Structures are given as C-alpha cells and as structure tokens.
Amino acid sequence: MARAWRQAAASRTTQGIASVSPTGRVKWRRTVSAILLLTPLISGCVVGPDYQKPLLALPSAWSGSKKAAPARPPELALWWQRLNDPLLNGLVEEAVAGNLDVASSKAKIREARASYRQNVGTLFPSASGSGSATRNKSASSSSGSSESYSQFQAGFDASWEIDLFGANRRAVEAARYGMDAAEEELRATLLTLVGDVASNYVELRGYQARLALARRTAASQNETAALTRTKLEAGAVSAVDVANASGQAASTEATIPELEAAYATTIHRLSVLTGRPPAALTERLDKYASIPRPKLPIPTGVPADVLLARPDVRLAERQYAQATANIGQAEAARYPSVSLTGSIATSGLKIGDLGKSSSVSWSFGPTLTVPIFNAGQLAAAVDMARAQRDQYFIAYRASVLTALEDVENAIVALAQERIRNGKLASSAERYREAATLTRSLYKAGSASFLDLLTVERSLYSAEDSFIQSKVSIAADYIALNKALGGGWDGTIDISKPEVVDSRTGPHLAASAD
C-alpha cells in the first residue's frame, strides 16, 4: 500500500497530460516542424508606417551672404580656440569633464542603451529552470499504516513570442531611435555648455576692463576735483565747480560696486559650469587679461548645414522617428499574437533518480491570442500614437526654423556690431584727444570747468561703450558658432557611472539611517 502511495506521488507531475502513440508523436513533430519553418517567414511582417526622414524646403543661402561667391562650409571644430585664450581653452575642457548637466546626459545615454538591449531581448526565447524538494507522509485509513518519503522535482520551461506583426521589432526600432536621441541630447548639452563657458568668460574679461576704466576715470576725476579746489582757494572758480567735480567723481565711483557684483557673478557661474563650488575659480581668474578677440569673418555655409550640425535639430528628428515607430507598436496590438511554450519536468524519490529512474513529463505547443472586443481601446491607442507623431514632426519643423532664425540673427548682430565698434573706437579716440586738450587749457585757465566736465563725462561714456562693444563682438561670434551647431566634438566617456556600487551580491542588509 505504501509503495502505491509513493508511485502515485512520484507521477503527480504527469497528471493532465495524455499519452501519445508513436503515430501521434510523428504527426505532432511534423506540425511543430512546420510551425518552426514558417515562423521566420511570418515574423518578417510589420504593421504601421515605415519611417522616412522628412525633406524640408530650405533657403539656398543666408540673407546677408553674397550669392555670387560659393559658400564655404562652417569651421566648427574647436571654434573657441580661435579666440586665442589658453585659459578659456582649459576651462572648456574642465567643464566638459566636470559639468553636472553633462553627467546627467551621459546617464541618460546609458539608460537608453539598456532600454534598447532590453527590447532586443524580447525577440528571443526565454527559458527558466526550477527545482524543489519536499518531505511527505502517506497514511492508509484501512490498515492504519503510514510511511514518510522524500520527493524531488526538476523542471525546465521555455517560451517564445512569435513577432507576427512586428510589435517587438517596432519597439526595438523605437528604442534605437531613443538611443540616438539620447546621444544627440548629450551633444546639445555640450554645445550649450561650451557656449556658456565662452560667453561668461568673455563677460568676465569685459567686467575687468570696465572696472579698470571706472577706477582710472574716477582717479582722474578726483584729480580734477582737487585742482578745482585749488582754483577755488585762488578765487579762479566758484564753489559750484568744486561741487560738480566732486559729484562727477562720486558718480563714477558708484558704478564700481555694481560692476564688482556682476564680475563676481560670472566667476560663480563659470565655477558651477565646471562642476565646482561658486568661488572656486576666484583666485585663478582674478589676474587681469584682455577681452578675447575672435578671428573674423567666419564662414557660415548654407542653411542646409544646420540639419547636419545642430544637435537640437537632430534630436528633434530622432524623436520624430521614435514616435513613428511607436505607431507600428500600437497597431500591432490590434492583430493576433502567437507564442510557443514548452516545458519538461522530472520527479523522483531520490536526487539521483532525477536523471535516470524518474517520471518525466513534457509539453509543447503554440498559443494564439486574438483581440475580439476592447471597446475601441486599441484603435484609440493607435490614434494617440499618430497624434504624438504629428506633435514631434511639428517640433522638428519648429527646431529647424529656430535654428535658421538663430543663425540669421547672429550673422546680422555680428556684422552690425563690427560697424558699431569701429564708430565707437573713433569716438573714444576723438574724446580722448579732446579731454587731453581741454584739461591742459583748464589748468592754464583758458577753458571753463563746464567744458572739462562735459568732455570727461563723454570720454568715460565713449570708452565704456567701446569696451562693451568688444564684449558684444565676441559674444556674437560665440552665438553664431552655437547657432551653426558648433560644440564639443571630442571623445566623451559615458561608460563610467557617477555612483559606483559596492557589495551588490548577496549580503546582509545594512540598517537604514
């Protein structure tokens, strides 16, 4: 009786599986073989639109370019080095290595690549193994006898979803586009970063020059005020002249704190852009240096170049492609799906019996799933995916127009600022000559104090405007290179994570703080 109980327990895994005759086995193998042979042919089918890169009508040349001369392609590689400032070059490299936005973009690329690998895995079969060991006791109500025994089981399960209508392949396609988009996002982040570092550095040197001018002018005006007081004691001028002279010097000195605050702000911004605390670069940047002067003019190419060079445009195009692939994935959900599943299990009273003296059961076959009624949910999902695709297409077109606008604005701004700078240089030179002559005449008593006051005020304004114009030329040069798509084109290591985990294997959990 006990033996009968053990035999029944050992064969429990075979319950529900009918015996198959030799002829039935042959027919079953033929059916399975036919399914396996047809699977590659059937799984080549996909639904949904195939992505095609859009063709947009673009101008043949920039509005301010000379159409008679052939357009030279833009020289975007390491464009900041043409500002001829070694310290700026070093800051750009440090920012690329330490900036936190760049680190975040690198993590997004690692995430996108992992998502791609995860989606690729859905194209292949999956398999899992299992095992169990139980201690059992059987008892007979008629004889009153009982016996304990052990039971060991081992199993292997496998499944494969046949991608009949390309749902998984569309998901892989979307993930690949998403991976491309993440890489373009990193390039866009680097473009913005390099431009911000260069712009803030130029502004910093501009504030240094303006501070030096303000201090120099205030010192000169204080000398004029002292001279005026001497003349007052001699009875040559009135007390009004002394008050005006002192007031002008104080007014100039009042601009210094404002410039100091702006100067400190640019240092803080540069420090944070390089991934450091705000005041980290103060000592390094305090040494005076001239405002960087770009090598002009620069070639701007043709409008079509922005489609290839601007990372934000390429990012928008990849997002549009990803949205197109998502339509096929949503469309495939409306079609039948087929999966193949198989399992094999063995059971024995001893571990050693699992490989020889054991009961073995197996199963294999396809499963067909057909969506019959879902109240329009699947169709609505397709419509939603199409609407999202349209949004990304519009965003792509908008990014192209924005890029063209940026370039046109930068070309005009740079050209006009160069003209303005020439006029300001001439104005500052003339006022400088007038101030020197008027000061000499005032000391000799041949010019009024009002003449000297007016020319000194005009000279300070002209020189300050000239300095700001030099900053604007460099800033417009930077803006034009950014608009054309000039960014960091060196190598970027994205494989290293920001957080390196330790003890990731099995271990005792530490108490949380």
Side-chain angles (χ1 to χ4, degrees):
M1 180 66 67
R3 174 183 290 275
W5 276 98
R6 291 197 298 273
Q7 291 175 346
S11 62
R12 284 174 186 170
T13 57
T14 62
Q15 293 178 1
I17 301 177
S19 60
V20 182
S21 65
T23 304
R25 291 193 187 97
V26 172
K27 292 181 179 180
W28 177 251
R29 291 192 185 100
R30 290 176 178 174
T31 301
V32 171
S33 300
I35 293 174
L36 293 177
L37 289 174
L38 289 175
T39 294
L41 299 176
I42 298 176
S43 61
C45 174
V46 293
V47 295
D50 295 328
Y51 175 70
Q52 293 182 347
K53 193 170 183 178
L55 299 176
L56 302 180
L58 298 177
S60 59
W62 303 112
S63 59
S65 62
K66 297 180 180 179
K67 297 184 180 180
R72 291 171 51 198
E75 300 172 359
L76 301 177
L78 304 174
W79 59 263
W80 57 91
Q81 293 187 2
R82 288 188 284 277
L83 289 166
N84 300 315
D85 193 310
L87 181 53
L88 171 60
N89 299 339
L91 289 175
V92 168
E93 294 179 0
E94 293 169 21
V96 170
N99 182 263
L100 298 184
D101 290 336
V102 172
S104 178
S105 295
K106 291 193 290 186
K108 290 179 181 178
I109 292 179
R110 293 196 295 272
E111 177 188 5
R113 290 181 177 179
S115 175
Y116 175 74
R117 296 196 305 270
Q118 187 178 39
N119 280 280
V120 169
T122 62
L123 301 177
F124 297 91
S126 62
S128 62
S130 62
S132 66
T134 59
R135 184 67 177 169
N136 305 283
K137 183 176 182 180
S138 63
S140 174
S141 58
S142 58
S143 62
S145 61
S146 63
E147 183 174 349
S148 299
Y149 63 93
S150 299
Q151 183 177 10
F152 301 91
Q153 291 180 320
F156 178 82
D157 299 294
S159 63
W160 181 27
E161 180 183 355
I162 302 176
D163 198 20
L164 283 180
F165 297 98
N168 293 337
R169 273 167 293 150
R170 288 300 193 191
V172 172
E173 181 184 357
R176 185 175 69 251
Y177 292 139
M179 186 168 59
D180 295 340
E183 293 174 355
E184 295 301 339
E185 184 179 356
L186 172 60
R187 295 189 181 97
T189 301
L190 288 167
L191 181 147
T192 301
L193 173 64
V194 172
D196 288 350
V197 170
S199 297
N200 280 275
Y201 183 81
V202 167
E203 289 180 6
L204 179 139
R205 295 309 182 194
Y207 287 129
Q208 281 185 336
R210 294 180 66 193
L211 278 167
L213 172 64
R215 293 189 179 105
R216 187 170 62 250
T217 302
S220 176
Q221 290 171 349
N222 280 320
E223 291 177 2
T224 300
L227 176 62
T228 306
R229 280 191 292 270
T230 302
K231 285 180 171 288
L232 175 63
E233 294 172 357
V237 297
S238 67
V240 175
D241 294 337
V242 175
N244 282 332
S246 300
Q248 179 173 259
S251 178
T252 302
E253 289 173 340
T255 63
I256 294 176
E258 181 181 3
L259 294 173
E260 287 280 13
Y263 170 72
T265 299
T266 56
I267 290 182
H268 299 162
R269 184 90 284 266
L270 283 169
S271 298
V272 172
L273 287 174
T274 58
R276 297 182 175 95
L281 295 176
T282 301
E283 183 178 353
R284 185 175 171 187
L285 294 173
D286 264 347
K287 186 178 179 181
Y288 181 85
S290 60
I291 300 171
R293 297 181 60 184
K295 185 179 180 182
L296 299 172
I298 63 173
T300 56
V302 295
D305 291 334
V306 300
L307 300 181
L308 302 175
R310 286 270 296 227
D312 58 333
V313 173
R314 298 202 304 264
L315 169 61
E317 185 268 331
R318 293 288 87 182
Q319 289 175 333
Y320 166 53
Q322 186 178 23
T324 303
N326 289 337
I327 297 176
Q329 190 176 5
E331 186 72 42
R334 304 177 64 186
Y335 290 79
S337 62
V338 175
S339 61
L340 296 176
T341 59
S343 65
I344 183 170
T346 178
S347 177
L349 300 178
K350 298 179 182 179
I351 294 180
D353 291 343
L354 294 179
K356 46 183 181 179
S357 302
S358 63
S359 60
V360 177
S361 62
W362 60 269
S363 65
F364 177 80
T367 300
L368 175 66
T369 303
V370 181
I372 297 177
F373 177 75
N374 51 69
Q377 295 181 60
L378 298 180
V382 175
D383 291 340
M384 184 171 64
R386 292 184 184 276
Q388 291 174 344
R389 185 269 315 272
D390 290 349
Q391 295 175 49
Y392 281 108
F393 176 63
I394 295 171
Y396 170 64
R397 292 176 57 191
S399 69
V400 173
L401 292 179
T402 299
L404 298 178
E405 181 186 19
D406 290 344
V407 177
E408 293 281 12
N409 290 343
I411 290 174
V412 172
L414 181 57
Q416 296 302 317
E417 191 60 45
R418 293 178 67 190
I419 297 173
R420 178 173 178 266
N421 183 262
K423 300 298 183 183
L424 288 173
S426 177
S427 173
E429 181 63 27
R430 299 289 84 81
Y431 277 122
R432 197 173 297 115
E433 294 174 357
T436 302
L437 179 60
T438 305
R439 191 173 292 111
S440 299
L441 293 174
Y442 178 68
K443 289 180 180 179
S446 300
S448 68
F449 175 75
L450 182 59
D451 293 336
L452 179 60
L453 186 70
T454 301
V455 75
E456 284 188 342
R457 185 183 295 119
S458 299
L459 173 60
Y460 175 62
S461 177
E463 289 185 327
D464 190 63
S465 297
F466 179 57
I467 292 173
Q468 293 184 61
S469 178
K470 290 195 290 186
V471 172
S472 295
I473 287 179
D476 290 339
Y477 167 81
I478 294 167
L480 180 54
N481 278 281
K482 286 177 60 179
L484 292 171
W488 181 263
D489 54 2
T491 58
I492 297 290
D493 182 13
I494 65 171
S495 61
K496 183 179 178 181
E498 291 295 316
V499 179
V500 180
D501 297 314
S502 61
R503 300 180 64 195
T504 56
H507 61 277
L508 296 177
S511 58
D513 294 335

